[in-house]
Amino acid sequence: SSAASDVYKRQLKLRANKAYFFFGDLFLALGAGITNLAPEYDGNIFTTVEQTLKKGGSPVVSKHGVEWVENNGFVYGVLPQATSGKIAHKSEKRTTGWRKLSEANKGVEENEVELFSMWIDHGREVKDGSYAYFVSCDGKVPERLPEILANTVKVQAARLGNTVEAVFYDASAKLGTPFGTVTVSAPCALAAKFRDGKLELAVADGRMNRELKSITVTVGGRAYTCLLYTSDAADDSLRV
């Protein structure tokens, strides 16, 4: 499965395309087109990989060219060659600030807790920056990693074995895969599984355009038209 968002906050003057791809207990997060549209203001642009309570934790392990860090049963790793910026992580004690968050917390006692944080510092004048990081939810460093097929503002995609997952922001984009070139008739997210000469395809219209009745996905020159659900009670997705 996959999820995506095109983040453009005018107040922060920040632009980024972000997608998440799930392969069993492993998920891959991709970022592309990260741009600070107002570098004249102070402050760097950061991508937060994780910020949570520190629980347990094993020594850093290097594998697949990635440094993996464990916390609370999850293992995190940032792919350096696909990331622009400085990768960092730390554990530190901080005092809680519940009273500042809500007046309802006036009587709450603040205490000191240990936090685990991991992030990417893209710098202040980042333009078309990118990142790729993994989270292994079974607490183990993965034996193999998904292959990143594309990470651009037009399409973000990855493959693991016979499964390809992609987010198309631009219908003009073409995605090269071992199973043939993939194109779409409209922006969408898709997951394709190739097995025994057959294709299992799931497509979703992330824009939730109720005027869009179908999306055609072409793989290796063969077209598959997916009719979208139109009922208000159904989500805009179809598996064929």
Side-chain angles (χ1 to χ4, degrees):
S1 60
S2 60
S5 62
D6 180 4
V7 180
Y8 180 42
K9 298 181 178 178
R10 293 184 181 275
Q11 294 86 351
L12 298 180
K13 298 294 183 179
L14 171 65
R15 193 181 196 100
N17 286 51
K18 307 195 295 183
Y20 304 85
F21 304 99
F22 295 80
F23 299 93
D25 289 326
L26 178 69
F27 82 76
L28 163 66
L30 293 180
I34 303 168
T35 301
N36 185 359
L37 301 177
E40 63 273 17
Y41 295 110
D42 291 338
N44 290 3
I45 302 300
F46 293 87
T47 293
T48 299
V49 177
E50 183 61 287
Q51 181 171 282
T52 187
L53 284 174
K54 171 73 172 175
K55 290 187 179 181
S58 302
V60 175
V61 176
S62 295
K63 189 173 183 178
H64 308 303
V66 176
E67 287 193 346
W68 301 89
V69 183
E70 188 270 335
N71 183 70
N72 195 25
F74 295 89
V75 179
Y76 307 85
V78 181
L79 192 62
Q81 60 266 37
T83 300
S84 59
K86 298 178 181 178
I87 305 163
H89 64 87
K90 68 178 178 180
S91 297
E92 64 176 352
K93 290 185 177 180
R94 294 187 191 176
T95 301
T96 58
W98 300 113
R99 298 173 189 171
K100 296 179 181 179
L101 297 177
S102 172
E103 290 187 5
N105 295 335
K106 287 188 296 184
V108 174
E109 182 178 350
E110 306 291 2
N111 60 327
E112 194 175 68
V113 297
E114 189 169 8
L115 295 182
F116 165 75
S117 302
M118 191 172 195
W119 69 93
I120 303 161
D121 182 352
H122 299 286
R124 180 172 170 174
E125 299 185 2
V126 59
K127 183 177 181 180
D128 293 325
S130 62
Y131 64 76
Y133 69 82
F134 304 93
V135 179
S136 178
C137 302
D138 65 359
K140 301 176 183 177
V141 175
E143 291 300 318
R144 58 177 181 158
L145 298 181
E147 174 191 3
I148 299 173
L149 300 175
N151 189 22
T152 71
V153 295
K154 287 189 174 184
V155 59
Q156 293 172 299
R159 176 184 74 91
L160 184 62
N162 60 357
T163 299
V164 172
E165 299 179 4
V167 174
F168 285 84
Y169 301 94
D170 188 329
S172 70
K174 295 182 179 181
L175 175 65
T177 81
F179 311 101
T181 299
V182 178
T183 60
V184 297
S185 61
C188 64
L190 65 84
K193 181 173 289 187
F194 301 83
R195 183 165 47 195
D196 300 326
K198 297 180 180 180
L199 170 63
E200 183 177 325
L201 181 65
V203 182
D205 168 28
R207 300 180 305 172
M208 296 183 287
N209 179 6
R210 295 195 176 278
E211 301 302 317
L212 187 64
K213 304 303 181 183
S214 67
I215 295 177
T216 298
V217 179
T218 303
V219 183
R222 184 174 179 179
Y224 303 86
T225 297
C226 305
L227 301 178
L228 300 177
Y229 291 127
T230 56
S231 170
D232 290 343
D235 62 7
D236 291 333
S237 62
L238 179 66
R239 176 179 290 182
V240 296

